[in-house]
Amino acid sequence: MASIRDVALRAGVGIGTVSRALNGTGYISEETKKRIMDAVEELGYQPNELAQNLYRNRSGIVGILVPNLDHPFFSSLVKAIQNDLYLKGYRCIVGDETEGQNRLGEFVELLQRNAIDGLISCVDPNSRIDTRMIQKPVVVLDRNWGDTFINIHSDHKSGGAMAAKLLIDAGVKKVLVFRPEVSGRFTYMERYHSFEQTCMKNAVTISYVNLKQNKLGYEYDYTAVWNHRELLREVDGIFAADTNAAACIRLAWELGIRVPQDLKIVGYDGSAFTKYLTPRLTTISQDVPKLARAVSDSMMGLIQGKKNIKKEQIIDVFVMKGESV
Amino acid sequence: MASIRDVALRAGVGIGTVSRALNGTGYISEETKKRIMDAVEELGYQPNELAQNLYRNRSGIVGILVPNLDHPFFSSLVKAIQNDLYLKGYRCIVGDETEGQNRLGEFVELLQRNAIDGLISCVDPNSRIDTRMIQKPVVVLDRNWGDTFINIHSDHKSGGAMAAKLLIDAGVKKVLVFRPEVSGRFTYMERYHSFEQTCMKNAVTISYVNLKQNKLGYEYDYTAVWNHRELLREVDGIFAADTNAAACIRLAWELGIRVPQDLKIVGYDGSAFTKYLTPRLTTISQDVPKLARAVSDSMMGLIQGKKNIKKEQIIDVFVMKGESV
């Protein structure tokens, strides 16, 4: 395989000149550049990326950390972010936290070691990570990392109110809500706060089932609802994330409860799989392409050292009309 | 931030000795090693991974290429492979081909450039890639790359026969099959061949709908079935991948066809989302954890230069019992 030495020899220039031409640094005349590029092509030279990265002190890689890659919201989000960054010349390493390892700690270390140029986090920090120590590009999606980080999230405040309104307009009086059990202030919890406020204003009573936080996935989310299935008999409305709401549709059928006649269900996320259900789930959809675009644009801005990137970016949600309300 | 020079100074050794200790190469006495590690800890030294990688000529990264990351089979497969490789000290860059870009060409170039140490491919080669030129670690999952590559796949031959048997035992006489339209010999197509053979032996007639290859995903797979929904009235059995089979369950309901009384449906893949359907899909399940284990073990073997890795590795499938047959 041709080396940089062979290219320099063929082009009649020094190795440093070839290196400058390939890395786009320093002045080189157009004529010399053409001679080098011709030599590169003739010899089929492929630069060693490890050497190039060391030279530039960048890896060309961004890390994305999610609670669970095998979850309809996160698999579509990761796919979209990854494709956006790919078009900007970046590749992604994806980590997921379901196995209970300290992936966040590892990804933060990757950042410090220059193994990744930036970190996109859809997970909360833990007590082992001092986020104040991180001076490198970090974009947070819908998690609580503190005011110094860019936080991009859906307009959950409107989303919760929209969900409540759908149920109230359909005449619901008693709602059961499946929600994650968290302490502290989390942007994604705003949907439950505004849902509650809207219900209270309209004399709708609410009861809650609290689910373990970040224990996401089809299996867990189905079983969590199954454990509380008898509660479905005591209400006329449900509000829950799509994977839980879909379980309610199935379990209502098993219990002989008609949806939407006897029980009205609103989901949250807008997952594509809900199209297959009977009845189809009516759900508040997060705008994955817009979230992904905001995340990747902000990440590129941080990597390029831009100063005026908006700290909090809020993306509209919308109703995905189904048959469950 | 502390440099390797500071560590060497504190430990009273040369820089080369520190480098050998951190990279685990060459002989160093236990006593010296301890002194170096103490210095590393006291100074909070973090090695620059880019420099380390150049030294070792490895990136510590494996590339995984899939047709579509936002597809229930591939998102669970990627998650499983990634977690296995993580426990072996490797990270993964994931690419997906839905956007129609030449991701395979890019990933092969990453291999040649040492940006990744190995490639796991769940996509077919294209005319722009000369696979014979690739001398680096490649593991192929269920695609047609030729005999020189390690190919790991489910036992589709048994899987197809198992699906046919489920339908035949339930009394089906006319089956509609949704299958990808491919030319050439592909391991994943064996399910359709053995399905057909088993049906023919039992005087069951088969008709086909051919779907565009590698056009995967909830949206496409639903629409593809919708376009042919009137055919559901003309048969009493269906065999299709889960995302298509799930669409048949929904569309049968819309058309007033009872499943399984009037129409029996068998899926393929074993996707978790089918648990939410009514009726639940009976499906031939691929063993994702075992596929992932075989892929990651083989990849590690190739990276470590092992010679005796089995070229074709076949993983058992099993029936995931639902309510659609």
Side-chain angles (χ1 to χ4, degrees), chain B residues 9-130:
Chain B
L9 209 67
R10 168 79 65 120
V13 298
I15 290 174
T17 311
V18 176
S19 172
R20 282 199 302 282
L22 295 178
N23 288 297
T25 53
Y27 174 75
I28 297 153
S29 75
E30 279 310 308
E31 191 267 328
T32 306
K33 201 167 177 181
K34 188 178 180 312
R35 230 162 52 225
I36 291 169
M37 289 312 170
D38 288 349
V40 163
E41 193 140 316
E42 284 162 36
L43 296 168
Y45 170 68
Q46 294 216 315
N48 183 321
E49 180 145 327
L50 295 175
Q52 285 202 308
N53 287 342
L54 184 62
Y55 180 87
R56 297 185 201 138
N57 203 26
R58 66 158 212 128
S59 63
I61 301 172
V62 169
I64 308 178
L65 207 50
V66 294
N68 185 356
L69 183 59
D70 187 21
H71 178 280
F73 178 69
F74 291 108
S75 65
S76 61
L77 182 71
V78 167
K79 178 193 162 92
I81 293 174
Q82 197 174 248
N83 277 323
D84 278 2
L85 285 173
Y86 171 75
L87 295 175
K88 294 171 160 78
Y90 275 77
R91 294 182 290 274
C92 297
I93 288 180
V94 183
D96 98 31
E97 287 228 316
T98 27
E99 304 302 312
Q101 304 132 344
N102 184 17
R103 295 303 292 268
L104 177 59
E106 197 223 358
F107 272 60
V108 168
E109 208 184 298
L110 290 179
L111 251 188
Q112 308 291 18
R113 282 187 185 191
N114 297 322
I116 54 178
D117 299 336
L119 172 61
I120 294 164
S121 174
C122 311
V123 304
D124 289 316
N126 57 49
S127 56
R128 287 174 287 185
I129 309 296
D130 186 355

Side-chain angles (χ1 to χ4, degrees), chain A residues 285-302:
Chain A
S285 185
Q286 303 199 59
D287 194 329
V288 169
K290 278 195 191 153
L291 285 167
R293 181 62 54 90
V295 167
S296 57
D297 284 350
S298 300
M299 178 49 72
M300 292 312 295
L302 286 176

Side-chain angles (χ1 to χ4, degrees), chain A residues 1 46-54 57-59 61 67-72 75-76 78-79 82-83 86-87 91-96 98-99 101-103 106 109-110 112-115 217-219 221-223 243-244 246-247 250 253-254 272-273 275-280 323, chain B residues 1 46-54 57-59 61 67-72 75-76 78-79 82-83 86-87 91-96 98-99 101-103 106 109-110 112-115 217-219 221-223 243-244 246-247 250 253-254 272-273 275-280 323:
Chain A
M1 200 178 272
Q46 295 216 314
N48 183 322
E49 181 145 326
L50 296 176
Q52 285 202 309
N53 287 342
L54 184 62
N57 204 25
R58 66 158 211 125
S59 62
I61 301 172
N68 185 356
L69 184 58
D70 187 22
H71 178 280
S75 64
S76 60
V78 166
K79 178 193 161 92
Q82 196 174 249
N83 278 323
Y86 172 75
L87 296 174
R91 295 182 289 274
C92 296
I93 287 180
V94 184
D96 98 30
T98 27
E99 304 302 312
Q101 303 131 345
N102 184 17
R103 295 303 292 267
E106 196 223 357
E109 207 184 299
L110 290 179
Q112 307 290 18
R113 282 187 187 191
N114 296 322
Y218 292 110
E219 287 301 327
D221 291 347
Y222 185 89
T223 307
T243 46
N244 296 124
R250 165 71 198 195
W253 179 83
E254 286 183 20
F273 85 92
K275 188 171 194 164
Y276 292 106
L277 305 174
T278 303
R280 269 183 193 142
E323 305 152 344
Chain B
M1 199 178 271
Q46 294 216 315
N48 183 321
E49 180 145 327
L50 295 175
Q52 285 202 308
N53 287 342
L54 184 62
N57 203 26
R58 66 158 212 128
S59 63
I61 301 172
N68 185 356
L69 183 59
D70 187 21
H71 178 280
S75 65
S76 61
V78 167
K79 178 193 162 92
Q82 197 174 248
N83 277 323
Y86 171 75
L87 295 175
R91 294 182 290 274
C92 297
I93 288 180
V94 183
D96 98 31
T98 27
E99 304 302 312
Q101 304 132 344
N102 184 17
R103 295 303 292 268
E106 197 223 358
E109 208 184 298
L110 290 179
Q112 308 291 18
R113 282 187 185 191
N114 297 322
Y218 293 111
E219 287 301 326
D221 291 347
Y222 184 88
T223 308
T243 46
N244 296 123
R250 165 71 198 195
W253 179 82
E254 286 183 22
F273 84 92
K275 188 170 194 163
Y276 292 106
L277 305 174
T278 303
R280 270 183 194 142
E323 304 151 346

